[in-house]
Every structure is written in structure tokens, then in C-alpha cells.
């Protein structure tokens, strides 16, 4: 492992971070795709963490804020997406515990209302089933869906 290889790998890691924030797993996978050795990958991860360029906890906070406010995902989908990105279960749990339940319910009601408006000509039970399936696909729990359906006017 030469200094030149280390520098090249660190520069590649920094280049990846200019596009968007990444998890440690995503960074390691990208470096391995470029055929860097495990030793160099560990060096780059340590370097980026040392300078606070790579922080899974900060990533979780930013990811949750974005996906709740923009994409309006539910907690189940958020948990699965973060797990796929290589975030530890502990960090996921801490992040999801910090989410305001009222905001999640508000998003579910908003999505249900939008779906209902697009299905105005269907029967009541068909609309209810389609709205339920839509909210499940967005990652909402059964309890949240029931609350949202009780709030929304059909």
C-alpha cells in the first residue's frame, strides 16, 4: 500500500461525497468496485470519519428529514431503506424514535386525501382498499393507516 494509492483512494472517496452524502457501507462498496484493497478501504473510511466527512448518525438524521418531508415515507419503509444502506439497527432505532408521530400521521392523511381525490368515481370499498394499499406501499403501519382513514373524509 503506497502513499500514492492511499491518496488516490482518499481523493476518490472525497469525489463521491461531493455528489451526495453516503453511508460507510456505500463508501466501502464503491471503493471495492474500484478494486481497492481492504486495507486501503479501511484507511479511507478512517480518514473520512476522522475529518467528519463520513458520519452514519448524521446521514440518518438528514435522510429521515428528507424522506419524511419530501417523499412522505412511513416508518416501515424508512427502516427498510436505511437497513439496505448498511446502517446499524441501533442508529435506525434512535433515528426513528426521534420522528414526530404527528408528522407521520399528517403525511398519511395528506397521501390518503390525494389518493381519494384521484379515485372519486370508484365505489367506497374500492377506494378504501386502494388507499390502504397505497399507504402500505409508502411504508405506513396498520395503526397509522387506520387513524388516517378515520380522519379523511370519503
Amino acid at each position: 500500500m503506497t502513499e500514492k494509492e492511499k491518496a488516490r483512494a482518499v481523493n476518490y472517496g472525497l469525489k463521491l461525497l461531493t455528489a451526495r452524502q453516503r453511508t460507510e457501507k456505500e463508501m466501502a462498496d464503491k471503493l471495492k468496485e474500484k478494486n481497492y484493497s481492504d486495507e486501503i478501504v479501511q484507511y479511507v473510511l478512517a480518514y473520512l470519519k476522522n475529518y467528519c466527512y463520513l458520519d452514519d448518525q448524521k446521514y440518518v438524521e438528514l435522510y429521515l428529514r428528507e424522506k419524511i418531508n419530501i417523499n412522505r415515507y412511513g416508518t416501515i419503509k424508512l427502516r427498510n431503506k436505511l437497513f439496505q444502506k448498511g446502517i446499524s439497527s441501533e442508529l435506525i432505532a434512535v433515528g426513528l424514535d426521534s420522528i414526530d408521530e404527528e408528522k407521520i400521521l399528517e403525511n398519511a392523511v395528506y397521501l390518503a386525501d390525494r389518493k381519494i381525490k384521484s379515485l372519486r368515481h370508484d365505489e367506497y370499498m374500492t377506494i378504501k382498499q386502494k388507499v390502504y394499499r397505497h399507504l402500505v406501499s409508502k411504508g405506513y403501519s396498520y395503526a397509522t393507516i387506520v387513524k388516517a382513514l378515520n380522519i379523511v373524509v370519503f
Side-chain angles (χ1 to χ4, degrees):
M1 171 168 79
T2 66
E3 291 301 316
K4 194 172 184 178
E5 287 176 319
K6 285 181 185 179
R8 190 178 303 129
V10 167
N11 284 336
Y12 180 67
L14 290 170
K15 179 184 167 206
L16 290 173
L17 289 172
T18 59
R20 68 174 179 88
Q21 232 4 56
R22 294 184 190 275
T23 66
E24 290 177 30
K25 180 185 179 294
E26 287 176 323
M27 182 62 70
D29 290 346
K30 285 289 191 181
L31 289 168
K32 287 177 183 174
E33 281 178 17
K34 284 288 192 180
N35 297 321
Y36 288 111
S37 68
D38 289 341
E39 189 177 334
I40 291 178
V41 169
Q42 292 307 315
Y43 173 80
V44 172
L45 292 177
Y47 180 91
L48 294 174
K49 282 193 270 185
N50 187 40
Y51 287 97
C52 299
Y53 292 127
L54 205 57
D55 184 0
D56 280 355
Q57 184 174 358
K58 188 170 85 174
Y59 181 89
V60 168
E61 292 169 12
L62 294 172
Y63 185 85
L64 290 176
R65 188 177 322 135
E66 175 188 343
K67 297 303 178 185
I68 288 170
N69 293 329
I70 296 173
N71 300 84
R72 299 182 189 268
Y73 288 165
T75 54
I76 295 169
K77 189 166 192 166
L78 290 169
R79 178 180 290 113
N80 292 338
K81 291 268 191 189
L82 286 170
F83 190 72
Q84 288 172 354
K85 291 180 175 291
I87 302 293
S88 70
S89 300
E90 296 82 28
L91 282 178
I92 293 172
V94 168
L96 290 176
D97 288 344
S98 69
I99 294 174
D100 181 22
E101 289 298 320
E102 288 298 316
K103 180 67 176 170
I104 295 293
L105 181 60
E106 178 185 316
N107 285 346
V109 169
Y110 174 82
L111 290 171
D113 194 43
R114 266 192 32 206
K115 188 69 174 173
I116 289 169
K117 286 179 182 173
S118 72
L119 302 169
R120 281 288 178 208
H121 303 292
D122 291 350
E123 294 180 26
Y124 171 77
M125 286 308 292
T126 306
I127 292 173
K128 195 169 183 177
Q129 289 170 352
K130 287 182 178 181
V131 170
Y132 178 84
R133 283 196 306 267
H134 179 64
L135 291 176
V136 166
S137 75
K138 284 288 201 172
Y140 289 94
S141 67
Y142 177 75
T144 304
I145 293 171
V146 168
K147 287 179 189 174
L149 290 177
N150 287 334
I151 292 171
V152 173
V153 178
F154 284 91

